[in-house]
Amino acid sequence: MSRYIIKRLLFIIPTLLLVAFIVLFIMDLTPSDPGTLILGDNAQPEAIEALNEELGYNDPFVVRYVRFIWNAVRGDLGESWQTGRSVTSTIAQRLPVTATLALGSLVFGSVIGILLGILSAVKQYSILDFFSTTLAMALGAFPSFWIGMMLILIFSLGLGWLPSFGAGGIKNFILPWATAGCFMISSLLRMTRTSMLETIRMDYIRTARAKGQTERKIITGHALRNALLPVVTVLGVSFGTMLAGTVTVETVFSLPGVGLMIIEGIRMKDVPVVTGATVVLAAMFTVLMLFVDILYAFIDPRIKARYAKK
Amino acid sequence: MNNTGTEQAILEVRGLHTIYQTDDGVVKAVNGVDFSINERETVGLVGETGAGKTTLALSIMRLLPERTGRIPEGEIIYKGENLLKADKEYMRRIRGANISMIFQDPMNALNPIMSVGDQILESLVIHNEEKRSGEELNKRVDELLELVGISAGRKHEYPHQFSGGMKQRIVIAIALACNPKLIIADEPTTALDVTIQAQVLALINDLQQKLGTSMIMITHDLGIVGKTCDKVAIMYAGEIIEFGTAEDVFNGEKHHPYTVGLFGAIPSLTSEAKRLKPIDGLMPDPTALPEGCKFHPRCPHCTEECKTGEPYLYQKGEAYIKCNLFREEK
Amino acid sequence: MDTLVKGDKLRKYFQVGPKSLLHAVDDVDVDIPRGTTLGVVGESGCGKSTLARVVLGLIPKTGGKLYFDGRDLDTLNKKEKAEYRRQMQIIFQDPYSSLDPRMSVYESIAEPLDMNHIFSKKAEKLDYIMELMERVGLAERFVNAYPHEMDGGRRQRVCIARALALNPKFIVCDEPVSALDVSIQAQILNLLMDMQDSMGLTYMFITHDMSVVKHISTEIMVMYLGQCVERAPSKELFENPLHPYTQALLSAVPKPVINRMSNTEILRGEVSNPINPPVGCRFAPRCKHCTAECTQKNFELVDQGSRHSVACRLFDQA
Amino acid sequence: MNKTTGSANGVKVVRKKKSRFREIWGRFKKNKSAIVGLVLFSIVLLMVIFADVLAPYSATIEPNIPVRLQGPSAEHIMGTDSFGRDIFARLVHGSRNSLLVGIGAVFIGMVIGGTLGAVSGYYGGKIDNIIVRITDMIMCIPMMLLVLTLVAALGSSLMNVLLAMMISNIPGYTRVVRSAVLTVVDQDYIEAAHSCGTPNRWVIFKHIIPNAIGPIIVQTTMSIGSMILNAAAISFLGMGIQPPTPEWGAMLNEARNFMIQCPYMVFFPGAAIGITALGLNLMGDGLRDALDPKLKD
């Protein structure tokens, strides 16, 4: 088991290197350079060129990539071309907002999604099932930023119950949580329902019935744990989607998080900011997926055994 | 064995009909089945794919798929009680404790993420009427594992760590856990290799002798029937077309043409025959069964009278054959 | 005797781990006289299906020599190989997965003909296909049917027609009747035997069913964990089984007579692991005649006369 | 249509290719929500086709300041925006851009990703290993972030959004197609085809692709919906199609500033996106059930 974890941890290194490479490579195509950004459009071309040279912008891509990695390993993601502030400290300042948003939505979305998914599978063809599947369909189809704006219209502007922007207290987060959680509810509800329906038809459920087990215990004791195995994977993937979705949700609610930082960076053509923030979000996602994989191995004895043998 | 006085039927099935309501129409899976099983007795239900054997078993257990399966008429009497009229809770207590089942495919019959010991224990906990302590129940799990030939030390292992034959032993242990009166074994060895099949059959036979349980053995293999059964019911298109003691069916003089066909189609290990004698045609479509005797389109002795109306019921003691061939010999 | 298919020390290993080799087929000799049937029996995992695929060249062999009609197949060039491939066909166990669900009966049977450019005229091709269908007992009306519209027996007939399309000399039947009910099984077995009589076909018939193999085979090979443990003419094997495994196998088959477990010999234990097997007889752990010698050296097949050979310490005169 | 070939003994070989299609359609039309999806999507398609009939394109571009920010009325059934442009007209013409991006991105992703997945699944071995490793790694970057960085680098325009989404769609398709191909490759009829000397390319095109196409179609239907959503999100962030070109996400971006006075400006474009995606998702679900009816008893 520990071997498996080590193997997975080692796999994370090339993944992160590749992720950083792709992001850097794409951002390198941006028609923007630090000299122009810092000195302004009206500066002397020679001065701009000199500054670019000084900042190492003119070095070959590989050199800059290696330098980025080397600095990143030591916790330095460079400085903003726009403000000169350290990207690392900006991220450190903004990450709590994004983390609060993401984790809150994760809890909100997964609890409601999984619960409704189980219920609608157990009561297949009931009104509850119809309601849940329709809800899941709708939440998955309507854009989350639009749902966010609708929530603002109703709860902030209409009823005046909740604030519509900024990151103050819990109240500020309720609407963003609901908005970002919507997508998770949709995908988790559908996955849980499908997986549960498949599990209920398994032979071992029939064995449990033949033992005389009660319907309730069959669901909670046998079906649920088996059905949740694939749901765990989907949980990881949809958390990643949601993490990226925080970009729009933070924009809608003007939450000063990492997502908004990326958007601002793109507008300003501030390459180090965008690169740093994107790499951090992607790294968070990668680590989370690793965590999901290990969790999976712990719940499923078959997978555990496969790695224990080796 | 003292058979006298124990000739008490423990389960009686009368006029049972089971249907499935599917999108493609009503599937008539079981069409008027009558039979009974006495204490310590094994009845073999024999037939090919689609004969309705498994449906019959699931009807007795009341485990038909809820949305599609229906039992429009018939009675299943266990201990004087019609199980078809019993409420769900009563039925739940019967299952596992009084009637239990062994399924065909041991690969999927066990919960993959629960240790085998826990799966046996579960049965005991559900039907723990005497309020035995956890320790006692755990001892019983060890006992059951040893009984089916698995060392008790393996009870913490998971199903994937066992071979097919071993898994079937565990399924048997679960079925036996609460000392049921009747076990329904649905093709218990079909998924296993011959030598493992022999082991499992020997085990089942052995335990049945020891524990005095009655058993319904569902199979398509007449060889298995010969090895295990006291009485035999041959099923075709949802009906028992011939019923009798193993002696009647294997060595008797009068047989339903389908029974004759079934025996004739098996290649023999002992005699030399160049050609086999297959039964012509195919199983009828269960959504559109033929009129009259359901075997008539494939029957070599078919007459006009076979095509309409119920075939003649030839009876001799407990044995019976549903065929017009024996009408004149009343 | 005139041998059609001959394999010398055929061997197929699968690499399943850095240091683990799965010995699926281990030094098995095959020879099948023209016009006869070699039955191959054994339980799941004994390597019988792998052997079939090695003989057909569907998977590359790890070692050994293979001759067809006297020619070493390894020395053939690509074109000659294609020519030989046409003469060898296969019929599978599961008629549900061996036909493309999107192809009609006509298309399935026509595929090998098209691939080998047999007919240039459509009408000729159709006539030939109708003739094939008639030969395997499929009514004309099925020519446009799709696999899901037919039952298992008819599908298996389509598979047979497809295998016969190229007029092969040799057909491997890999458990062709195991998925069928007894009454249908008998129909297919009769058909296969009729085809052999009328077309002089040579079969390699793989099955786990002892009564089927006895019925159809001229000679039988018993396999255990990748090795051939006994080989004899059909009648001889059933009357005089020598290897302890063969004896147990025959005794374990339930016969359709009343027989409440009296004379069945129950074999203990289960088939062991085919990965990196140790030296010695592979059946030794389950054998009642096992001695120390059995686990120390390998036993080759030894001829016992009348084409009967067995690999066992009890009959090892060497 | 049915193609027939005559024969000497009068038997007709009928090419009834349609039978399977008809069977799937039979199951599909029994599914009410799938039909709802089909109807919703058809409405959107009609809008795309008859956009010029429903409203002149000029109405979507030219400002008409006197009537700016008017609520829904008989003249402007969905009201007007901050430049006095008719929202209904912009919605109708915007459908073309949204759908173009959605379908375009999926289609190209399908061709490239599909080929990679098919090669990977069919040949296996080293190639498979490399392709799987790389797709796994790329999929560690959440798609939206990948698209955003690409658009940031390439510049904001319709073509660049399309390009960015195409690229980010490839790994997902590679995965789906690979697993679809893997299930088919295992079937005996593939081995049967090999044993009668059928060449690889024939096996791929005649057996594997037709049999693996089901899950691919389902994936395609579903991803068009999510691509439309993503494209809208990009435009909403101001990175996609630039004004005054009508596009649903971009309309929402403009509407944001007038959310308080004119909620209808927010409502209609979002509803249009939702209905399109909903239609596609319902259709995809219905198709999956129709192709694989095993879950429905």
Side-chain angles (χ1 to χ4, degrees), chain C residues 6 43 131:
Chain C
K6 186 168 163 58
E43 297 176 280
E131 189 199 314

Side-chain angles (χ1 to χ4, degrees), chain C residues 53 56 89-94 98 156 159-164 171-176 188 192 203, chain D residues 195:
Chain C
R53 281 159 182 74
L56 282 175
Q89 293 295 322
I90 182 164
I91 301 166
F92 294 96
Q93 164 172 13
D94 183 3
S98 56
Q156 204 56 291
C159 292
I160 295 172
R162 178 177 62 186
L164 294 178
I171 296 182
V172 170
C173 310
D174 187 1
E175 305 254 12
I188 299 297
L192 285 171
Y203 290 143
Chain D
S195 78

Side-chain angles (χ1 to χ4, degrees), chain D:
Chain D
M1 279 285 93
N2 292 340
K3 209 168 97 192
T4 54
T5 311
S7 100
N9 46 11
V11 181
K12 291 263 189 282
V13 172
V14 187
R15 279 283 185 93
K16 42 173 192 176
K17 273 285 170 232
K18 289 206 160 170
S19 90
R20 195 180 141 83
F21 174 78
R22 204 166 278 155
E23 190 194 327
I24 292 168
W25 169 244
R27 280 199 294 264
F28 183 86
K29 71 181 175 192
K30 270 190 208 152
N31 185 341
K32 282 192 204 98
S33 56
I35 291 296
V36 171
L38 185 66
V39 169
L40 289 180
F41 188 64
S42 307
I43 292 174
V44 177
L45 268 187
L46 287 175
M47 218 155 84
V48 168
I49 296 166
F50 296 108
D52 290 315
V53 181
L54 290 165
Y57 187 66
S58 59
T60 69
I61 302 292
E62 286 156 18
N64 189 3
I65 304 296
V67 292
R68 70 191 289 259
L69 298 178
Q70 284 184 358
S73 63
E75 204 176 331
H76 303 284
I77 53 169
M78 291 181 186
T80 59
D81 67 4
S82 56
F83 292 95
R85 297 173 297 205
D86 183 48
I87 291 182
F88 175 69
R90 286 180 67 73
L91 202 75
V92 167
H93 284 276
S95 67
R96 289 187 169 177
N97 290 324
S98 291
L99 238 62
L100 175 71
V101 174
I103 294 173
V106 167
F107 184 72
I108 308 286
M110 179 173 76
V111 171
I112 300 174
T115 314
L116 284 174
V119 166
S120 181
Y122 184 71
Y123 290 101
K126 277 218 175 80
I127 309 172
D128 180 42
N129 220 329
I130 293 169
I131 292 179
V132 168
R133 277 284 153 90
I134 292 180
T135 40
D136 273 359
M137 287 185 184
I138 295 180
M139 285 184 87
C140 281
I141 308 176
M143 177 153 173
M144 183 75 185
L145 287 182
L146 192 62
V147 176
L148 263 182
T149 45
L150 275 168
V151 174
L154 301 172
S156 307
S157 79
L158 179 67
M159 274 321 286
N160 288 345
V161 172
L162 189 62
L163 192 68
M165 300 219 311
M166 254 157 51
I167 295 171
S168 54
N169 226 339
I170 293 172
Y173 256 105
T174 310
R175 241 187 210 186
V176 172
V177 174
R178 177 175 175 271
S179 67
V181 167
L182 276 181
T183 52
V184 179
V185 165
D186 265 1
Q187 302 286 313
D188 284 342
Y189 57 82
I190 302 297
E191 205 167 13
H194 283 304
S195 78
C196 62
T198 312
N200 273 340
R201 67 192 140 76
W202 186 269
V203 172
I204 293 179
F205 286 108
K206 199 75 188 170
H207 294 286
I208 292 182
I209 292 182
N211 282 296
I213 203 87
I216 298 171
I217 290 174
V218 173
Q219 163 82 3
T220 305
T221 326
M222 306 283 226
S223 17
I224 293 176
S226 66
M227 284 305 109
I228 289 176
L229 282 178
N230 278 337
I234 302 285
S235 303
F236 171 74
L237 294 169
M239 311 279 158
I241 296 161
Q242 296 302 307
T245 316
E247 199 271 350
W248 295 339
M251 287 167 75
L252 280 169
N253 184 26
E254 289 165 41
R256 232 190 116 209
N257 303 320
F258 303 94
M259 200 158 81
I260 306 173
Q261 306 101 296
C262 316
Y264 60 87
M265 275 178 74
V266 182
F267 180 77
F268 291 115
I273 299 169
I275 284 169
T276 313
L278 187 65
L280 284 162
N281 287 351
L282 288 174
M283 260 169 61
D285 263 13
L287 269 177
R288 186 182 38 216
D289 291 349
L291 287 166
D292 181 15
K294 96 178 165 254
L295 268 184
K296 297 203 74 194
D297 75 274

Side-chain angles (χ1 to χ4, degrees), chain B residues 18-285:
Chain B
T18 305
I19 58 168
Y20 293 107
Q21 282 161 328
T22 69
D23 290 346
D24 306 323
V26 174
V27 175
K28 291 184 180 168
V30 175
N31 305 299
V33 161
D34 302 89
F35 78 97
S36 65
I37 175 165
N38 296 334
E39 271 181 40
R40 310 181 77 93
E41 198 174 67
T42 302
V43 173
L45 282 182
V46 192
E48 296 178 281
T49 316
K53 301 165 296 189
T54 300
T55 304
L56 178 55
L58 293 177
S59 304
I60 296 172
M61 294 291 280
R62 294 255 316 260
L63 284 175
L64 291 167
E66 266 183 39
R67 263 176 58 79
T68 50
R70 293 268 180 290
I71 302 178
E73 58 176 297
E75 283 179 330
I76 295 170
I77 293 171
Y78 175 77
K79 280 190 182 165
E81 185 104 19
N82 184 357
L83 294 183
L84 294 178
K85 294 241 161 66
D87 65 27
K88 277 191 177 167
E89 184 56 24
Y90 182 86
M91 200 53 222
R92 186 181 70 70
R93 279 183 208 187
I94 293 279
R95 283 202 287 266
N98 292 279
I99 307 176
S100 59
M101 196 157 169
I102 300 170
F103 295 101
Q104 173 171 3
D105 184 2
M107 298 303 162
N108 301 320
L110 294 171
N111 187 339
I113 59 173
M114 203 173 182
S115 75
V116 296
D118 285 350
Q119 299 194 47
I120 300 173
L121 183 67
E122 188 186 10
S123 229
L124 295 168
V125 173
I126 298 166
H127 303 289
N128 192 6
E129 311 284 318
E130 301 106 57
K131 304 263 178 279
R132 284 183 289 176
S133 69
E135 208 173 306
E136 279 175 278
L137 294 182
N138 269 312
K139 247 179 78 192
R140 172 78 178 137
V141 171
D142 295 354
E143 211 178 284
L144 281 162
L145 277 172
E146 298 283 353
L147 192 67
V148 296
I150 294 174
S151 107
R154 296 189 72 183
K155 70 173 171 182
H156 298 295
E157 291 182 23
Y158 291 90
H160 68 88
Q161 288 161 292
F162 293 85
S163 66
M166 287 299 190
K167 279 186 206 164
Q168 196 61 301
R169 286 165 189 263
I170 294 160
V171 173
I172 293 170
I174 293 175
L176 290 175
C178 303
N179 289 320
K181 291 271 170 295
L182 172 67
I183 294 179
I184 304 174
D186 185 3
E187 305 258 11
T189 58
T190 308
L192 307 175
D193 274 322
V194 209
T195 57
I196 307 299
Q197 164 174 298
Q199 291 173 358
V200 172
L201 284 179
L203 176 75
I204 291 178
N205 248 357
D206 199 38
L207 290 174
Q208 202 202 351
Q209 299 284 316
K210 216 188 287 179
L211 306 171
T213 322
S214 307
M215 183 156 74
I216 297 176
M217 173 65 88
I218 296 174
T219 180
H220 66 275
D221 188 334
L222 285 164
I224 292 176
V225 176
K227 274 194 171 185
T228 55
C229 298
D230 304 306
K231 287 181 187 160
V232 186
I234 311 275
M235 285 191 77
Y236 185 80
E239 281 178 30
I240 294 178
I241 46 106
E242 179 166 346
F243 183 85
T245 60
E247 189 59 33
D248 291 332
V249 175
F250 280 81
N251 303 329
E253 279 177 8
K254 294 197 180 69
H255 292 296
H256 193 282
Y258 177 66
T259 314
V260 176
L262 214 50
F263 274 93
I266 308 170
S268 165
L269 271 181
T270 42
S271 66
E272 295 286 321
K274 184 68 186 135
R275 281 185 71 85
L276 297 168
K277 297 186 288 284
I279 307 170
D280 284 338
L282 301 166
M283 269 290 187
D285 176 1

